[in-house]
Amino acid sequence: MDTIWLTGAEWVAVLRIGLGLWWLESWRHKDKKGWFERGTGIAWAADVAAKHRWTAVRSGFDVVVAPHPRAMAYVVVYAELALGLGLIAGFLTPIALVGGLLLNLLYLVLMIHDWAEQGQNSMMALISLVALFGMSWQTWSLDSALGIF
């Protein structure tokens, strides 16, 4: 593969780090007090799920998320932080990439009618796939330094 300035592996690492920064920004800009104390994030998602045209989304939300709104708020917020830090540092990278891909797909399905969100989720999912299949942990990562994967 011919590239300019960096090697192909380094460019894929740049994608991985950029994706990690995107996840970190998703975590940073969240109103954590709202999410944890007032339940705003899960309440918003519950409203979206309740109006969803797909029965599987409505019933899935009611079974998995609705009974545990406080715990799910922590799961969502800290998953975004863990994904960001893991991808930036390149630690447990394949796990972080698959986890991020699944989270983006969940967001994509939940907000299928919100076109503003679809671009972000589809692009993050695409970057996750490229970084995963490009084995982005080969360069500039703790995984590489530690000989993991």
Side-chain angles (χ1 to χ4, degrees):
M1 170 191 302
D2 293 329
T3 62
I4 297 172
W5 193 40
L6 300 173
T7 67
E10 289 169 340
W11 279 119
V12 177
V14 168
L15 268 180
R16 181 200 82 229
I17 294 165
L19 180 61
L21 290 169
W22 202 339
W23 278 116
L24 197 59
E25 176 57 19
S26 292
W27 171 80
R28 188 198 65 78
H29 84 264
K30 276 195 176 20
D31 173 11
K32 280 116 184 133
K33 191 172 188 171
W35 272 74
F36 299 147
E37 294 177 17
R38 297 186 312 276
T40 56
I42 299 301
W44 171 81
D47 184 56
V48 171
K51 297 173 187 171
H52 208 285
R53 72 170 69 163
W54 297 344
T55 305
V57 172
R58 290 191 309 270
S59 60
F61 191 92
D62 290 342
V63 169
V64 177
V65 180
H68 315 285
R70 186 172 169 88
M72 293 308 293
Y74 279 93
V75 167
V76 169
V77 171
Y78 286 109
E80 290 182 357
L81 175 62
L83 289 167
L85 294 175
L87 292 171
I88 291 166
F91 183 64
L92 302 176
T93 309
I95 295 166
L97 289 167
V98 170
L101 177 62
L102 292 174
L103 192 55
N104 279 127
L105 292 176
L106 283 171
Y107 290 170
L108 190 83
V109 168
L110 179 63
M111 298 177 281
I112 198 75
H113 307 298
D114 184 347
W115 292 106
E117 288 290 326
Q118 296 312 328
Q120 173 178 316
N121 287 305
S122 59
M123 288 301 97
M124 290 176 81
L126 177 62
I127 294 168
S128 293
L129 284 173
V130 170
L132 181 65
F133 292 124
M135 298 172 53
S136 63
W137 53 90
Q138 297 176 82
T139 303
W140 303 336
S141 72
L142 289 175
D143 291 340
S144 178
L146 298 171
I148 302 173
F149 303 108

